[in-house]
Each structure stands twice: as C-alpha cells, then as structure tokens.
Amino acid sequence: RPSPYNLNHFMKSFCSFTVLLFHQKLIFGEEVEMKVRPGDNITLYCDRSVTLGSVVVWIRNCSHESQPSLIIDYKKLELEIFQRFSFIHNTYNNSHDLHITNISVSDLGLYYCAKVEKKVNQDEKGILSRSEVYYNGNQTTRLSLECKKTLLLVIITSLLV
C-alpha cells in the first residue's frame, strides 16, 4: 500500500508535468494556452493570410528532447504523414487553420502558423539561388494537459486498491 507521501509526490509530479514540460521563451506576439485532454479534437486559428505565391505552414516547437519541432504543410498532409492533422480553409482571413483530431500527449507543444514565400535570389556573379522566407503569425498556442483533481482521485483510488 503506497504511503501518503508517495501519493502527494505523485499528485504534485502529475500536475507539474505541464509546467516542466513546456517551459520555453515566447517566440513572438500573443501566447494563448489551450488545455486539452487525450482524445479531444481541436482547431487552432491562423492569423496569417495567404497571398499569391505564398503558402501557410504550421510549426510545433517542443522544449523536451523526445519530440522534435515539426513543420506541417500541405505536402505532408497529402502524403498522410500527419493523419490526425488537417487544414481548414478560413474564408474570413484567407488562411488555413489547423485541425487536430484525437489529441495525444505527443501533440503537446507550442504551435504557430507562418506564411512562406519562395524567393529567387541572384548574387553579384549572376548565380541564382532559391530561398524561403517565413512570416510568423502574431499568435502562438500552447497545448498543455488539463490537470483535474477528479482525474487524480480516480488514479489515486486505483492505486490504493
């Protein structure tokens, strides 16, 4: 039977998981925190408009080693690399919001959209090169676990039995 100290330690560790996991500097603009539970479906709003010659991508940054940063674009969605992710065309601002179904812990992190423009550059010797310029949106959304005491009580009760 677990001691009360171990249960208190477990509760503190579980609830502080979100704080420790996502401690990182604000990238730019306004940050919104969205608390999610595994299995939730969500849509993240993009504040960057698509213009002629540009595309919208979504970027997820994580502060822990086990999850690399991701760039989510139409090519990867068409190849079904991210099967639970899709873009929703937002006609209000001519952009693409990100819809994620069946959220899991691996989806947690800091999300933001960016408009990407492809540029052709020519140096002083006449050599052409291609580059991509990212214009980040003004809003980031931090997905973190919703920590409810009722959930913890269910876990603790099952540990005591």
Side-chain angles (χ1 to χ4, degrees):
R1 196 172 174 169
S3 72
Y5 171 76
N6 288 340
L7 291 176
N8 286 336
H9 178 71
F10 173 77
M11 288 190 314
K12 288 178 185 173
S13 296
F14 187 80
C15 285
S16 63
F17 174 76
T18 303
V19 175
L20 294 174
L21 193 60
F22 299 107
H23 176 72
Q24 99 185 54
K25 291 182 181 179
L26 180 64
I27 295 172
F28 51 84
E30 176 187 1
E31 181 177 316
V32 174
E33 182 172 22
M34 183 180 287
K35 300 279 190 173
V36 296
R37 294 175 305 218
D40 284 352
N41 298 327
I42 61 162
T43 301
L44 303 177
Y45 170 74
C46 180
D47 62 352
R48 277 288 170 196
S49 295
V50 178
T51 56
L52 186 61
S54 71
V55 295
V56 167
V57 299
W58 277 87
I59 301 163
R60 183 195 72 197
N61 288 330
C62 292
S63 60
H64 49 288
E65 296 174 14
S66 62
Q67 289 181 315
S69 294
L70 295 177
I71 297 180
I72 304 162
D73 60 19
Y74 263 115
K75 290 179 189 175
K76 292 175 184 163
L77 292 177
E78 286 176 1
L79 295 172
E80 296 184 358
I81 293 172
F82 302 108
Q83 294 181 0
R84 295 177 299 103
F85 293 66
S86 60
F87 285 167
I88 297 174
H89 185 246
N90 183 330
T91 55
Y92 178 74
N93 69 345
N94 194 31
S95 189
H96 298 284
D97 299 339
L98 181 65
H99 184 72
I100 308 172
T101 59
N102 195 20
I103 289 280
S104 71
V105 173
S106 65
D107 298 323
L108 302 179
L110 189 65
Y111 288 79
Y112 58 98
C113 69
K115 177 172 75 169
V116 182
E117 292 181 355
K118 297 183 186 284
K119 302 280 185 183
V120 176
N121 309 305
Q122 185 173 8
D123 68 10
E124 61 277 354
K125 295 180 182 177
I127 298 174
L128 297 175
S129 63
R130 186 177 64 167
S131 64
E132 292 181 334
V133 180
Y134 286 73
Y135 299 96
N136 295 339
N138 293 314
Q139 179 176 307
T140 59
T141 302
R142 182 177 304 280
L143 292 186
S144 60
L145 284 179
E146 181 177 328
C147 186
K148 286 190 169 185
K149 290 181 183 179
T150 53
L151 174 64
L152 289 176
L153 291 175
V154 170
I155 293 170
I156 291 168
T157 304
S158 65
L159 288 174
L160 293 174
V161 175

